[in-house]
Amino acid sequence: MWAQVMDGLQVRRDGRYLDGTFGRGGHARGVLDRLGPDGRLLVMDKDPEAIATAHALFGADGRVSARRGSFAGMAEWDEAAAGLDGVLFDLGVSSPQLDVAARGFSFGKDGPLDMRMDPESGESAADWLARADEREIADVLWTYGEEKLSRKIARTIVARRGETPLERTGQLADLIASVLGRGDGKIHPATRSFQAIRIYINRELEDLEAGLDAALKVLKPGGRLAVISFHSLEDRIVKQFINRHAKAPPGNRRMPVELPFTPVLRDHGGALRATPEEVRDNPRARSAVLRVAEKLDVQVPPA
């Protein structure tokens, strides 16, 4: 959704922008091409390989600064805290992460069962599956993957790991397929479970909630927030965040006096989707949803 993102951000030549999910720099290049000599581009990513790519691509460009870490911490970066004209999040796992078997994200490519966006931080998927109890595993598969047979899969994981440790993506994918069956072959039976474990291991939804709050804090009046989501859990959080800051809450007849509401965001277009042409060229875009909001120039009354 490159064109829609560029249109949503409304990049100004002298503006300051943050790409909180650099990946391999597709959106960042688009922003940088629109910046003049006084513009500024900040990029963040949990993945050290993504930040290495940023340095390789833009290290000689004085308009660019890169920082390794989650966008949830952007307000702690002095360059971002100074004020931004636009913030972009492109959520989920990147294509390079999926394509490299050693990262452990893909059930289609056998590799170490890792799934960490930052492989030097936190617990791997293999380590978590080795220690978590049946209930915890089932709750994760249901909450983050909406997997209907989460309890059966969790029970099988706990039973099998006593015999053979789950250390490879292929092992886990085959185990899940043995529980669910192969189906019609259009969607791999491990899709929802892999998604759920990845989201949990990387604290993706918690980071999204914190990142949205941080973006609102550092955006200047008139600044734009653009977020691309790839599944309903993410999009629901983004939609509710924008609505909470853009629309007055529904009236409550039990409250004698309605509290005043001052909107601080303006929703731009609701849920935007990829064009048929883009979906044809990039099938991953078929599930993408873009939401754009603008920070208003208002004074919020004290609580």
Side-chain angles (χ1 to χ4, degrees):
M1 303 188 73
W2 188 90
Q4 294 97 317
V5 167
M6 294 302 115
D7 182 62
L9 287 175
Q10 294 284 293
V11 178
R12 296 184 7 243
R13 284 178 56 79
D14 62 347
R16 294 171 61 87
Y17 297 86
L18 183 141
D19 181 348
T21 47
F22 180 78
R24 293 302 180 265
H27 290 116
R29 289 187 187 91
V31 173
L32 196 59
D33 287 345
R34 287 159 174 75
L35 292 179
D38 296 325
R40 189 78 172 144
L41 173 63
L42 311 180
V43 300
M44 298 185 73
D45 206 295
K46 293 180 180 180
D47 189 338
E49 293 182 10
I51 294 303
T53 299
H55 285 304
L57 290 174
F58 306 132
D61 194 323
R63 300 172 298 169
V64 181
S65 184
R67 179 183 174 101
R68 177 178 167 187
S70 169
F71 53 60
M74 75 173 75
E76 300 165 10
W77 188 6
D78 289 345
E79 289 214 53
L84 298 172
D85 296 290
V87 173
L88 167 66
F89 301 155
D90 185 0
L91 304 176
V93 64
S94 69
S95 295
Q97 288 168 332
L98 283 173
D99 292 341
V100 178
R103 299 301 301 271
F105 287 103
S106 175
F107 45 76
K109 295 180 173 66
D110 183 51
L113 188 54
D114 195 309
M115 295 194 192
R116 289 174 296 175
M117 292 179 179
D118 180 352
E120 299 173 5
S121 177
E123 188 176 35
S124 71
D127 289 342
W128 176 69
L129 288 172
R131 68 156 183 84
D133 62 29
E134 181 179 321
R135 181 174 179 178
E136 182 181 359
I137 296 170
D139 286 348
V140 166
L141 299 185
W142 170 251
T143 301
Y144 299 119
E146 299 176 323
E147 174 53 68
K148 295 179 180 178
L149 294 180
S150 59
R151 294 187 184 280
K152 189 174 182 180
I153 294 171
R155 187 161 56 249
T156 304
I157 286 173
V158 171
R160 296 272 186 91
R161 74 187 183 189
E163 304 168 3
T164 305
L166 286 170
E167 297 177 342
R168 308 285 297 182
T169 56
Q171 285 178 288
L172 180 59
D174 289 344
L175 181 152
I176 295 170
S178 73
V179 174
L180 302 184
R182 293 288 177 177
D184 58 12
K186 293 181 180 178
I187 300 177
H188 194 285
T191 300
R192 289 185 294 272
S193 295
F194 267 64
Q195 170 191 289
I197 295 169
R198 188 205 81 219
I199 289 173
Y200 175 77
I201 289 295
N202 292 288
R203 294 179 48 84
E204 292 179 40
L205 300 189
E206 293 89 343
D207 275 8
L208 175 57
E209 291 174 342
L212 291 169
D213 287 335
L216 182 59
K217 180 179 180 180
V218 302
L219 277 171
K220 301 175 185 176
R224 297 288 187 95
L225 169 68
V227 184
I228 303 174
S229 306
F230 286 90
H231 61 76
S232 60
L233 294 175
E234 296 170 337
D235 184 56
R236 188 180 304 128
I237 291 172
V238 179
K239 178 182 178 180
Q240 291 176 348
F241 175 84
I242 293 174
N243 286 343
R244 186 164 66 250
H245 294 287
K247 300 177 181 179
N252 187 338
R253 289 179 296 178
R254 296 182 180 181
M255 294 184 66
V257 179
E258 291 189 9
L259 298 175
F261 174 77
T262 303
V264 294
L265 288 177
R266 178 186 293 122
D267 187 358
H268 278 274
L272 307 174
R273 297 189 176 273
T275 64
E277 293 77 16
E278 183 173 4
V279 173
R280 183 190 62 224
D281 295 337
N282 177 18
R284 185 171 178 252
R286 68 183 180 275
S287 58
V289 177
L290 169 66
R291 294 186 186 271
V292 179
E294 177 183 348
K295 185 173 182 178
L296 301 176
D297 188 3
V298 296
Q299 294 294 323
V300 180

